[in-house]
């Protein structure tokens, strides 16, 4: 009996210790689950309110302008280009902050500041025109932009690569975050005949849209492809699209005026990291 008792005690201690370990393990797992899911079951819902892939869309300003006096053209063109740059920068920031912030992050950190910048730039355009012509009104309504999250489904592949940091050594030639920069076309144009203005404006806006789309694709393909991926899949097709659009601009001007030459050199864009 004296020998059996210690053995029984040891078994009891082992069982009790094992049960305690299971309880402690369960507490740790539960604690981890709660920590990873703020607000209990609301975690999945909250995740959808974080910054997600998408494209910022802004109303077109160029197509809403009246005839621009020759004396104001350079200043107006500079500010139209600045509007384009502002959208590109906002789209880049949007892509780089995926998963950050709360439900109001995009509005407060990206769309709000963009609206303020656009409002100032649009006002400068109106003032420039108003110096020698009737100052356009109502353009302030074009300052606000919206987030188009139609491409948010791509978030799945992004999440799948989130744990792949160990492969970063092989990603040297793959797509990296950056911004696509293209030569400005508007500032290189001669005086645009009134009969060609609408068509030229449409194509200048299209050039802007093409850059936005390329920047969005660039952000969504980070880590994909080899060293030539960006050139072959993004910059190359963008150059072809721009070449066609620029050619249409030259043709439109050439119908009633001297057709501008040398604009084809503005088709190629570069990646700025």
């Amino acid at each position: 009996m004296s020998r059996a008792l210690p053995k029984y005690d040891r078994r009891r201690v082992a069982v009790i210790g094992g049960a305690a370990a299971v309880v402690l393990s369960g507490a740790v797992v539960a604690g981890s689950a709660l920590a990873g899911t703020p607000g209990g079951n609301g975690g999945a819902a909250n995740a959808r309110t974080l910054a997600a892939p998408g494209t910022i869309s802004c109303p077109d300003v160029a197509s809403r302008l009246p005839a621009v006096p020759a004396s104001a053209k350079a200043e107006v063109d500079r500010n139209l280009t600045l509007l384009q740059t502002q959208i590109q920068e906002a789209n880049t920031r949007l892509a780089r902050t995926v998963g950050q912030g709360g439900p109001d992050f995009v509005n407060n950190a990206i769309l709000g500041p963009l609206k303020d910048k656009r409002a100032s730039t649009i006002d400068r355009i109106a003032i420039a025109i108003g110096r020698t012509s009737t100052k356009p009104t109502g353009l302030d309504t074009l300052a606000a932009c919206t987030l188009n999250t139609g491409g948010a489904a791509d978030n799945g592949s992004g999440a799948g690569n989130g744990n792949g940091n160990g492969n970063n050594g092989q990603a040297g030639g793959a797509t990296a975050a950056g911004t696509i920069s293209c030569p400005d076309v508007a500032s290189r144009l001669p005086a645009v005949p009134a009969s060609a203005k609408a068509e030229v404006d449409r194509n200048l806006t299209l050039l802007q849209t093409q850059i936005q789309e390329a920047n969005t694709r660039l952000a969504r393909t980070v880590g994909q492809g080899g060293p030539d991926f960006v050139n072959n899949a993004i910059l190359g097709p963008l150059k072809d699209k721009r070449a066609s659009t620029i050619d249409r601009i030259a043709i439109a001007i050439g119908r009633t005026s001297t057709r501008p030459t040398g604009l084809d050199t503005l088709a190629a864009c570069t990646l700025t990291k």
Side-chain angles (χ1 to χ4, degrees), residues 171-221:
T175 308
T179 305
I180 292 173
S181 301
C182 303
D184 177 46
V185 176
S187 62
R188 296 286 297 276
L189 298 180
V192 178
S195 59
K197 185 176 185 303
E199 186 173 355
V200 169
D201 285 346
R202 275 197 305 274
N203 282 290
L204 287 174
T205 300
L206 180 57
L207 288 173
Q208 174 179 330
T209 301
Q210 290 165 353
I211 297 173
Q212 291 176 31
E213 291 172 346
N215 270 312
T216 299
R217 177 160 170 70
L218 179 71
R220 290 179 180 169
T221 55

Side-chain angles (χ1 to χ4, degrees), residues 53-223:
T55 305
I56 292 173
S57 301
C58 302
D60 177 45
V61 175
S63 62
R64 296 286 297 275
L65 297 181
V68 178
S71 59
K73 186 176 185 302
E75 186 172 354
V76 169
D77 285 346
R78 275 198 304 275
N79 282 291
L80 287 175
T81 299
L82 180 57
L83 288 173
Q84 174 181 327
T85 301
Q86 290 165 352
I87 297 172
Q88 291 176 28
E89 291 172 346
N91 270 313
T92 299
R93 177 160 168 70
L94 179 70
R96 290 179 178 170
T97 55
V98 170
Q100 293 184 23
D104 297 320
F105 177 83
V106 173
N107 283 328
N108 295 339
I110 301 178
L111 292 180
L114 176 59
K115 178 180 178 180
D116 294 339
K117 290 178 184 177
R118 282 175 58 83
S120 298
T121 306
I122 290 170
D123 190 50
R124 289 196 295 272
I125 290 174
I127 291 172
I129 294 173
R131 290 195 186 102
T132 54
S133 183
T134 303
K135 180 177 176 179
T137 58
L139 296 181
D140 55 310
T141 61
L142 306 177
C145 302
T146 57
L147 175 64
N148 173 17
T149 56
D154 287 345
N155 202 23
S157 59
N161 293 331
N163 295 327
N165 294 333
N167 294 327
N168 282 349
Q170 300 175 3
T175 308
T179 305
I180 292 173
S181 301
C182 303
D184 177 46
V185 176
S187 62
R188 296 286 297 276
L189 298 180
V192 178
S195 59
K197 185 176 185 303
E199 186 173 355
V200 169
D201 285 346
R202 275 197 305 274
N203 282 290
L204 287 174
T205 300
L206 180 57
L207 288 173
Q208 174 179 330
T209 301
Q210 290 165 353
I211 297 173
Q212 291 176 31
E213 291 172 346
N215 270 312
T216 299
R217 177 160 170 70
L218 179 71
R220 290 179 180 169
T221 55
V222 171

